[in-house]
Amino acid sequence: MDLFRSAALAFSSFSKIPMPQVEWRESNMRYMMCFFPLVGLAVGLLVGAWTAICIAAGVGGVLYGAGLLLVPLAVTGGIHLDGFCDVVDAQASNAPSERKREILKDPHTGAFAAIGVAAYFVAYAAIGSEVPPCWQVAVLVGGMHVASRCLSGIATVVYPTSAGRGMLSMFHESGKGMLVPAVLAVEFVAAGAAMVWACAPVAAAMLLVGLACAVLLLPFANRQFGGMSGDLAGFFLQVAEIAMLATLMVAAKVVGLP
């Protein structure tokens, strides 16, 4: 029963998919991060459906790229973009770590956050428009959304957190031990295997870029913010996904997809 509650909490927290209401307590949150990648799987399935529609309708690259941006946004409700905006604002302040953590908690949206998310949308859609709509790309992009959440989940429960009792701190405490990161690692391998099945060279490049982003996240979080936070987890997810999508765009041209 705890597994069901953890799954419901994961989907209700990180997506707009309707779920039964579950009480926020440690026993219900224990395996929550294990189900976080399944939100990415839901995104991936809808990306696959969007790709099939675009192939059947013969739509152009601009519309396809816009869909690659909007489908994840529709599923998640932009929760990870909220963290992206907060981190952009904090970084633009050039303030000490303590002040940056205060900015992360500020509910107001600064000018740099608005500029940053607008630039992100344009870049993501433009990169997506250069990706050919085909079944291999659908699998690669779908796997990307699962893999990025596996890495974000591992960082959430393994990397040291900054001071405070935020949502990420609760995830960090409830997921202590080796079980949750081990499950996330297995899910990452499974997502990677699906991507390799679609196109091994492109998948390898995308996964390496995602892993590199996860490795670089730790010194960035420690140096700039004194540790991980929920906003940084969201920021990482957005940065890793656009970096992996850009890698897909370049690698697909090199290997000649589709």
Side-chain angles (χ1 to χ4, degrees):
M1 203 62 178
D2 283 347
L3 289 176
F4 172 78
R5 294 192 184 102
S6 293
L9 278 177
F11 275 88
S12 61
S13 299
F14 301 116
S15 80
K16 303 299 288 184
I17 300 172
M19 284 287 144
Q21 190 170 8
V22 176
E23 184 181 352
W24 280 85
R25 63 170 185 257
E26 187 173 344
S27 61
N28 294 341
M29 296 171 60
R30 185 171 296 124
Y31 308 111
M32 182 174 169
M33 295 311 297
C34 296
F35 295 96
F36 183 32
L38 296 186
V39 177
L41 180 60
V43 173
L45 292 173
L46 288 175
V47 166
W50 172 246
T51 302
I53 291 170
C54 289
I55 293 172
V59 305
V62 173
L63 184 57
Y64 181 60
L68 292 182
L69 167 69
L70 295 175
V71 166
L73 188 61
V75 175
T76 65
I79 184 169
H80 308 299
L81 276 168
D82 177 67
F84 175 84
C85 289
D86 288 341
V87 172
V88 169
D89 258 346
Q91 281 296 97
S93 71
N94 294 313
S97 297
E98 185 176 350
R99 173 55 184 153
K100 286 181 179 178
R101 289 196 296 269
E102 292 175 2
I103 294 172
L104 293 183
K105 298 175 184 177
D106 191 334
H108 300 93
T109 300
F112 289 104
I115 294 168
V117 76
Y120 184 94
F121 281 171
V122 171
Y124 197 104
I127 293 168
S129 71
E130 292 294 317
V131 174
C134 59
W135 72 265
Q136 294 99 325
V137 165
V139 174
L140 290 165
V141 174
M144 174 189 82
H145 286 289
V146 176
S148 64
R149 282 162 176 79
C150 293
L151 294 173
S152 180
I154 291 172
T156 296
V157 298
V158 172
Y159 288 179
T161 62
S162 59
R165 283 291 298 175
M167 184 179 288
L168 181 133
S169 181
M170 291 191 291
F171 296 154
H172 183 84
E173 292 298 321
S174 63
K176 270 188 173 179
M178 292 304 298
L179 179 59
V180 172
V183 171
L184 288 166
V186 170
E187 291 173 321
F188 179 81
V189 171
M195 294 168 69
V196 167
W197 170 73
C199 185
V202 177
M206 292 174 68
L207 292 169
L208 284 173
V209 167
L211 286 167
C213 290
V215 170
L216 292 172
L217 173 64
L218 179 59
F220 173 76
N222 287 340
R223 184 175 64 252
Q224 300 294 333
F225 297 91
M228 279 292 293
S229 69
D231 288 320
L232 279 165
F235 173 81
F236 161 77
L237 191 68
Q238 299 297 155
V239 171
E241 287 182 353
I242 196 171
M244 293 171 78
L245 186 66
T247 304
L248 167 59
M249 176 192 71
V250 174
K253 294 181 183 297
V254 172
V255 302
L257 277 179

